[in-house]
Amino acid sequence: MRFTMDMPGEINAVRSYGGGTVTIGANGSVERTLRAPCIVARHTLITDWPATSLAQLQAMHLEAVFALEPQIVIAGTTERERLAPADIRRR
């Protein structure tokens, strides 16, 4: 399934993912392959996000996400689909 399309400008896009990595590229820039939790938004890439696992995810970790005022949040949870704790999903 493809979630992105090529767009003009410096917009972060997920170019590929799998095997514990995600590759982010903005049009006209060098792609970066990340191996740690991160937040990807249109013009923002946060690579030092402290949420290291779904089991450890807390509401305070989401402050950085919601500060970006997203319309949708997609969470990658490894190769096996998992749900965040109920109190997190209610946010």
Side-chain angles (χ1 to χ4, degrees):
M1 180 182 310
R2 187 175 175 144
F3 287 106
T4 62
M5 63 181 168
D6 290 333
M7 298 176 69
E10 294 295 317
I11 297 172
N12 290 323
V14 175
R15 299 294 185 191
S16 65
Y17 62 91
T21 67
V22 61
T23 300
I24 308 298
N27 290 338
S29 71
V30 176
E31 292 183 349
R32 295 178 63 184
T33 299
L34 305 170
R35 292 173 177 78
C38 61
I39 298 173
V40 181
R42 182 180 181 121
H43 297 289
T44 305
L45 178 60
I46 300 172
T47 59
D48 60 349
W49 195 39
T52 57
S53 73
L54 192 59
Q56 295 176 347
L57 186 63
Q58 298 176 17
M60 67 180 206
H61 294 127
L62 297 177
E63 291 175 8
V65 174
F66 293 124
L68 297 169
E69 299 181 353
Q71 293 180 0
I72 187 170
V73 175
I74 299 172
T77 59
T78 70
E79 294 177 13
R80 196 177 106 214
E81 183 179 338
R82 300 180 202 175
L83 293 176
D87 62 321
I88 298 295
R89 291 193 315 267
R90 284 191 284 269
R91 291 231 19 188

